[in-house]
Structures are given as C-alpha cells and as structure tokens.
Amino acid sequence: MDQDSHCTAEREVLEAVSRITTFSTTNPSDEDQPTAEISCQLRKENPEKGDLQDSSATLSPHSSMTTKELQDYWRNEKGQCRQVKLLFEIPSTRIVEHHLSKYVMYKIIILQTGSFDSNKSVIERRYSDFEKLHRNLLEEFSEEMEDMTFPKKTLTGNFTEEIINERKLAFKDYLRLLYSMKCIRRSKKFIDFLTRPELQEAYGCLRGGQYTKALEILLEVIGLQERLTRGNPVSVVPTLCAIVVCHKDLENPASAFEYGEKALSRLRVHSSHRYYIPLLETMITLAYELGKDFLSLQEKLEEWKTKKDPVRVFTLKELAVQEYVQ
C-alpha cells in the first residue's frame, strides 16, 4: 500500500470512530434520562487522539476492516457496556384514614429501561416520607440540590384531586432528578428511602417466625436493591442471607443453597465480612443435605480459621435477626 492510500485508510478509520462516538453520545433516546455510571467512558480531553490510540490498539488484528465492518465492531463494543437506567413512575394514589390521621399514599413503580424488565418494583410512600428524604439529603448534598424545588404542604386542599395529581408529577420528577446525580443515587439515604420500610417489615416477620411472609417481601425488594447498588454488590449480602435463612427454615434447601451461592459470589474477595463464616457454615450444611460437593467449602472454612484468631461467630440466623432492630 502506498503512502497516500495508507493516509486515506487512516482518515476513514478516524471518521468512522468519530461518527460512532457522536452517535453514542447524542442518541436522542438517551436525552433527559438519568443514567447510571458505566464502565466504558469517553475520554474528556483530546478525544480524537484518545480514540485514535484506542482504536489502533484494539483494532490491530483487524487493520483490513472496511468502514461498515468498523462501525459494526464499535456498535458491538458499545453494546458490551450497556447503560443501566431506572425509570420512576407514579401511576396512582390512595387515601388512607387511620384513627385520627389521614394521608395520601403514592404508588411508585421502579423499572429498568433499555430491556424488557419483568421484575419491576412497586413501593408506596406518603408525603411525609418524601419530606423526610428531602430534609436528610439537604444535610449532605445542599450544593447539589440548591436548585431543586419540593412541593410544599398546603393548609387546605391536600386531598383534592388537583393537588394530588400535581404532587404525583412533582414527586416523579423529583425522584428522576435525584437519581440523575451519581452522588445521591449511591447514597445510603436515597437507597434507604426506596428499600428500608420493606426491609424493616421483612425482618420483623423473620424475627416473629413468619418466614413465608418475610420471604415474600425479601424476594420483592432484592431486585430493587441490586439495581440500586450495582457499584456495591456486597451491600445486598444481608438480604440474600436472610432469604437463605427463610428458605432453610421453610425446608427448601435447594432454594436456600441457590441464594447462598449468590451471596458467596459477592464475598469472594471479602472474607473478613461478618457474614462470610456463618454463610460458609450454612452452605456446608446445605451442600451435605443436598448431596453436593461440600469439601471445597470446608477447605475455605479451614483456610480462614488458620489465618484468623478464634473469635465468637454468630450463626447466619442470629445475624439475620439482628438486622433493622430499632
């Protein structure tokens, strides 16, 4: 290939990369949507130079690609790091009258966009819950929230259809804006607002021996927890272990083992986690009961014991019942 042809080919590569980069960052379907952080990010400085370096390094085995093949290649690469987004909808409300109090419960549906999501999460929150969230977030993120407005209470008319519909739209936009800010969507206060009431109820049922009811709630909330804590998978370990305890006490060892494996996979590099040894001991018991290989689990337990000083270790159930104790 002569020098002019080589330069022409290089220009085609750069133009193709530039077009695809522009497409991926200005896709109208992504506009105005809260987007979770993804592992593949475009370079902020000298994007052309960065793209050239990346493309030459990544595409060295494919230097004879046509422009169409190059576009297909980059689309495939983009698909490997698909953005994860959560959508918040408030489709309905209900008025609750309890003794001397009266309030509106807002039904919130949370689902993942970008793919079919059959495991949507449904929760209910009242005005005072949103108000408490706003107050708590302002303590930590006052700068980020300085331009956000919150629907104020009125002296009268709080239960009129007009006011309720206005607040439905306002709370929907409020949640969307909060989720669009990485520092807030990853904060414990925001995640607690969306999951804590249900978890408190589930653990209360567990402590009371109502394992079927506890399991039902935990299975509903675990999906939402996983969506909200993608950057911190260890944070869902207590919920997974509570599910293990419920299945085990309901004499469903196969299901208990399945969720125990999920929890162990998140603790692979966190052997100092308080749930690690109780979970290992439970998994050994379950594996033996199910006729599965438990020797590898036993080896991990013995390895941990040789490295650590003997300490008082709670059982998995003892740890679970201590969660969310007021």
Side-chain angles (χ1 to χ4, degrees):
M1 182 182 291
D2 57 32
Q3 185 173 0
D4 290 341
S5 298
H6 178 77
C7 291
T8 301
E10 187 177 84
R11 279 198 299 274
E12 287 182 354
V13 170
L14 286 173
E15 288 170 0
V17 170
S18 177
R19 283 196 297 273
I20 296 165
T21 301
T22 302
F23 171 81
S24 66
T25 55
T26 61
N27 186 353
S29 65
D30 288 341
E31 289 180 1
D32 299 326
Q33 290 290 337
T35 305
E37 186 180 24
I38 57 176
S39 59
C40 54
Q41 295 187 356
L42 301 175
R43 298 182 184 276
K44 293 182 179 179
E45 299 180 0
N46 300 323
E48 293 179 0
K49 182 178 178 182
D51 288 339
L52 175 59
Q53 290 173 343
D54 289 346
S55 61
S56 61
T58 307
L59 298 176
S60 55
H62 311 284
S63 56
S64 60
M65 276 184 171
T66 65
T67 300
K68 183 179 183 305
E69 288 172 335
L70 183 63
Q71 288 175 331
D72 291 340
Y73 174 86
W74 280 105
R75 286 194 186 99
N76 181 63
E77 286 297 302
K78 182 174 180 287
Q80 298 302 314
C81 46
R82 183 175 296 169
Q83 297 175 347
V84 175
K85 305 172 186 176
L86 291 186
L87 181 67
F88 297 86
E89 295 289 345
I90 304 181
S92 61
T93 61
R94 63 187 179 95
I95 297 176
V96 177
E97 295 190 54
H98 184 66
H99 298 303
L100 299 177
S101 65
K102 182 179 179 181
Y103 53 88
V104 178
M105 294 294 289
Y106 295 85
K107 181 180 181 180
I108 306 168
I109 296 178
I110 308 157
L111 59 138
Q112 182 176 312
T113 62
S115 62
F116 178 72
D117 188 0
S118 60
N119 297 316
K120 64 183 179 183
S121 301
V122 181
I123 60 176
E124 283 190 317
R125 298 292 182 268
R126 54 188 290 187
Y127 180 94
S128 59
D129 295 325
F130 281 98
E131 191 176 40
K132 182 180 178 181
L133 170 67
H134 189 71
R135 189 168 57 249
N136 290 340
L137 289 176
L138 280 175
E139 293 175 358
E140 190 174 350
F141 306 105
S142 57
E143 229 177 279
E144 290 83 354
M145 297 174 62
E146 61 182 355
D147 296 326
M148 292 185 67
T149 57
F150 188 83
K152 295 181 179 180
K153 274 187 177 178
T154 58
L155 294 176
T156 59
N158 285 303
F159 301 100
T160 64
E161 185 177 353
E162 182 182 1
I163 293 295
I164 290 174
N165 285 333
E166 284 180 3
R167 287 181 177 171
K168 275 169 54 178
L169 294 174
F171 286 143
K172 173 186 171 181
D173 287 340
Y174 178 71
L175 290 173
R176 180 181 63 83
L177 285 171
L178 291 180
Y179 183 76
S180 70
M181 292 182 276
K182 183 173 69 174
C183 59
I184 291 181
R185 70 169 173 263
R186 289 186 172 184
S187 70
K188 186 177 184 299
K189 292 175 181 178
F190 181 68
I191 294 171
D192 277 354
F193 168 78
L194 295 170
T195 61
R196 188 177 181 89
E198 287 71 24
L199 287 171
Q200 285 178 320
E201 182 183 0
Y203 279 100
C205 291
L206 193 157
R207 282 189 289 273
Q210 302 175 49
Y211 303 116
T212 301
K213 179 62 176 176
L215 182 60
E216 179 185 333
I217 300 170
L218 290 168
L219 290 175
E220 287 180 359
V221 79
I222 186 64
L224 177 56
Q225 265 193 308
E226 289 177 330
R227 292 181 183 91
L228 291 167
T229 60
R230 287 182 180 275
N232 183 22
V234 176
S235 62
V236 301
V237 166
T239 306
L240 288 171
C241 288
I243 293 173
V244 172
V245 169
C246 289
H247 273 306
K248 189 171 182 295
D249 279 24
L250 289 170
E251 298 183 357
N252 300 324
S255 296
F257 191 84
E258 176 190 345
Y259 279 92
E261 285 187 315
K262 291 180 181 180
L264 270 183
S265 69
R266 287 160 171 78
L267 295 178
R268 189 175 292 113
V269 294
H270 300 279
S271 59
S272 60
H273 195 281
R274 72 187 191 282
Y275 271 88
Y276 183 68
I277 293 305
L279 179 59
L280 264 183
E281 292 175 338
T282 300
M283 290 294 284
I284 291 170
T285 302
L286 290 169
Y288 182 79
E289 183 179 348
L290 293 167
K292 294 179 178 289
D293 172 33
F294 62 87
L295 293 179
S296 58
L297 296 169
Q298 188 70 48
E299 288 173 0
K300 290 179 181 178
L301 181 60
E302 296 302 325
E303 180 184 357
W304 184 90
K305 287 181 177 179
T306 60
K307 292 180 179 179
K308 303 287 184 179
D309 295 329
V311 292
R312 167 77 171 97
V313 177
F314 292 99
T315 66
L316 199 65
K317 189 172 183 178
E318 286 173 339
L319 277 181
V321 298
Q322 293 176 27
E323 297 284 349
Y324 292 94
V325 175
Q326 296 298 322

